[in-house]
């Protein structure tokens, strides 16, 4: 069992930055690949970024490439999402999620791959 808690969301102006954190409980964090997803009002939850268990494989949605950076610190059981050059269209609830494949799955954008989810943190970007 893995419990995930996100933090770091908030209100920021367009062009600003935020860093989201997701801290996991349990001793097996390092064996999971971690992903970030987001859900805007009235829209489906969508893939944002993913990092393998050791950070060796990283993927981003095209909409965030070059602006978002995912990283992890297995010693702290934490995965991060650094977001810069934020846009109003980045406004959403951001969720972290853990998948047991460690980072090898090819369907990494699929929500069904991820077994554990956090409660989400709100990010609002004003224009």
């Amino acid at each position: 069992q893995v419990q995930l808690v996100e933090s770091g969301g908030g209100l920021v102006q367009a062009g600003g930055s935020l860093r989201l954190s997701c801290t996991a409980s349990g001793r097996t964090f390092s064996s999971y690949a971690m992903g970030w997803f987001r859900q805007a009002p009235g829209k489906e939850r969508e893939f944002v970024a993913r990092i393998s268990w050791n950070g060796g494989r990283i993927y981003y949605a095209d909409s965030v490439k070059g602006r978002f950076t995912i990283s992890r610190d297995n010693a702290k059981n934490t995965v991060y999402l650094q977001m810069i050059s934020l846009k109003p269209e980045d406004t959403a609830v951001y969720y972290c999620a853990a998948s047991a494949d460690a980072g090898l799955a090819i369907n990494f954008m699929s929500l069904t791959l991820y077994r554990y989810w956090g409660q989400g943190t709100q990010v609002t970007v004003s224009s």
Side-chain angles (χ1 to χ4, degrees):
Q1 186 77 11
V2 176
Q3 292 184 328
L4 304 173
V5 179
E6 302 97 335
S7 62
L11 173 63
V12 64
Q13 289 187 332
S17 302
L18 282 174
R19 188 176 82 156
L20 306 183
S21 300
C22 171
T23 300
S25 63
R27 295 174 292 177
T28 59
F29 173 77
S30 61
S31 66
Y32 288 87
M34 298 298 296
W36 284 97
F37 290 77
R38 66 186 181 186
Q39 187 165 18
K43 295 188 177 181
E44 295 185 349
R45 193 170 299 188
E46 65 175 5
F47 170 79
V48 174
R50 169 177 164 95
I51 186 167
S52 63
W53 71 277
N54 64 351
R57 296 184 183 213
I58 290 176
Y59 304 96
Y60 297 100
D62 288 344
S63 58
V64 306
K65 279 181 183 176
R67 300 187 299 120
F68 290 12
T69 302
I70 189 171
S71 62
R72 66 188 297 162
D73 184 339
N74 287 341
K76 296 182 178 180
N77 279 14
T78 301
V79 61
Y80 305 97
L81 186 68
Q82 178 69 51
M83 307 184 293
I84 66 171
S85 302
L86 283 161
K87 305 174 181 180
E89 51 263 44
D90 294 318
T91 295
V93 177
Y94 283 71
Y95 299 89
C96 69
S99 66
D101 65 283
L104 301 179
I106 59 174
N107 59 328
F108 54 84
M109 291 191 289
S110 173
L111 275 68
T112 59
L113 178 66
Y114 297 83
R115 181 179 301 177
Y116 303 108
W117 292 82
Q119 82 290 348
T121 186
Q122 176 71 48
V123 171
T124 302
V125 184
S126 63
S127 57

